[in-house]
Amino acid sequence: MMEEVDEHHDTTNTAGPSCEEMLLYPPVKRRTSAVWNYFGYAKIRGEIKEDGFPICRACAKKISAKGGNTSNMFTHLREHHPALFLETQPSIKRKRLAHPATFTTTADSTEASSSTKWCRQSPENLTQYTMEKMFEKQKKYDRTSKSAQQMNAAVAFFIAKDMVPYYIVERPGFKHLVNQLNPKYELPSRTFFSGKEIPKLYSALRNEVQEAVGRARWFAATTDLWTSNGGKGEPYISLTLHHISSEWVMQSHCLETLYVPEDHTAEHIAEIFEGMLQQWQVDINRLTCIGTDNASNMKKAFQQVLKVPHLSCFGHNLNLGIQKCLKIQRVDTAVKSCRRLVESFSRSWKKRRELTLKQTDLNVPKHSLIHDVVTRWGSTYDMIERFTEQQQAVCAVLAADRNLWHLMPKQNDMTNLEDISLVLGSVHMFTDSLASGTRVTASAIRPILNHLLNNVLVCAPTDRPLAREMKETIAADLSSRYEAPQTRLLLDICSFLDPRFKEHFLSNVSDTTEAIKENALQEKHSLEEGEDQESDFTTATMTRNGTPQGSEEQRSEQQLQSLGVPSPTPVVASKKTVDVNPRKGLHDLLWEITESVKQSTSMAADSEPEAAIIAQVEHYKALPILPGNEDPLIWWKQHQKELPILSHLAQKYLCIPATSVPSERVFSSSGYILSPFRSRLSTEHVNMLVFLHHNL
């Protein structure tokens, strides 16, 4: 039962019942002052008694407030409940909402219908920053502080990774964003990032990449030449390096995007390439293969001048074969007819609007027509494939307007377009299948080439004459690109060292096996020489002032001699020493037997290294074939101790990329960095920004 309040009030402040037991209600006519959130009236016989003496919700004291005057209530809160008094001040309340950490209270409230229970507050529960701390909170970071340096590094990372221009730091929108994220950070100027922060980030990342490259034993590389559309149209040459780490992870690094003002002759290209390798301390003798396009100057520079193994890009080879097939007269006529039709729709909004209506009426997928890029046959296939899909709707639009009848494709053109789409579609999937820079791809060239020549491009009895001619043209050109003996042997070795293929797709099994044995023997001798050099280096480091350090016993003996203690007389074992344990158990005998067998096997391997290599090759061939969807690097990581010499060969050859797409990607990103809006960007900054974008 609720305790009733006495109807007779004293004019002085008196304490009433406990705040935990009393249930208070706001006035019937709600006042606008915020102080009424902390005062109320009690109910007497079911009615709210508004007698001019509201009761404090925190301490249950009655305060005089005749005529709606709230001064006494404010005074009571200020003197007895300062935390609640701050809540009633609008300016202070806004600050608490904006900076909740500035003020802290422990007031807990729970509402029950229109009433509220409040617990007593104490001044110790209120915490407020001093004026000094408030000014310090608004103070900007010092330029040399750790926080400012971290923010500078973050902005530099954003500029380099996302390929945004330097002037982004001076744009009002970006400044507003940074200020909202961290008001204490003062954004430096664009010259600070271009002259200091980006070079600093480049130097640190370059050292990391240099260490990763230095740990690798064998490399493969790609390179290409490119002329920028932005700036002043400067020519550049790229260099990407690929290797397999000790953890059997394919690693790819973009090392250089170098400005090349000289003539692009084979001699100049070879000289520039050697200079880039020397700058990164990469021995050209450790270069397994270099991948480029089919440009004559590139092939001459690496095959004749530098005389390093060269592999032409599989994507370029396939593109050359398809481009030759697109030059067939009937194919060229049909493609031009389709291109002219698509151009008319691209230039007319009215035609595109009518096409959308016809697509709805004919229940055709609402897809737009695709315009091709002449230099990219894949876009030509996409254009033809989309047109054949939308043929019914397109022809309906053309038939409705007499002025467009001349664009209507002829029956022969439609038949030829169907054949073109069929042939190009069968090889379209192979364009990007070998474009990865972080997976094993060179070993798949031989299986894919075999599949293309023996299955995809084989003429079927149902093929029309044009489709037959196209397939024969592509197959003849593609097979001619891999007729060189060095290229065939290189692809065979890569395919053999891939546990997914082994001997299944080799052009010559015996030659490949002999080449594997020769390479393995050379690798074994090279590893032994490296171990000898490492052993010599270790011996040299153990010597101090020209005197060997010796073993721990020798060092202890020297210490005894320095203290004047005579060294003990060494005990020399006699050849006729009798074994103290003439009776040996079965485990000891078996251990001796197995050790003797191991020692004899190792001596035989040392005396006949070719026999050990042949044994490894035969053992590798006897192991089960890895499924085609598995990763060969994981397989080699699991079998490297079982096949030590062949595992080194796998690291040497499986790092070769099948295409020069990594260098093409470098120039694609360079096009975004060196845009026409950034014509003042120096060639040195282009190199740094491209390097950071690809290696961050």
Side-chain angles (χ1 to χ4, degrees), residues 102 104 138 336 624 687 695:
T102 306
T104 58
Q138 300 299 325
K336 287 182 178 178
N687 186 25
N695 295 288

Side-chain angles (χ1 to χ4, degrees), residues 173-200:
F174 186 75
K175 285 185 175 181
H176 175 73
L177 173 64
V178 172
N179 185 63
Q180 291 295 317
L181 294 175
N182 193 339
K184 299 184 68 175
Y185 173 62
E186 185 176 1
L187 194 63
S189 64
R190 59 189 294 180
T191 56
F192 171 82
F193 288 100
S194 62
K196 183 177 179 180
E197 201 62 32
I198 290 294
K200 177 182 175 182

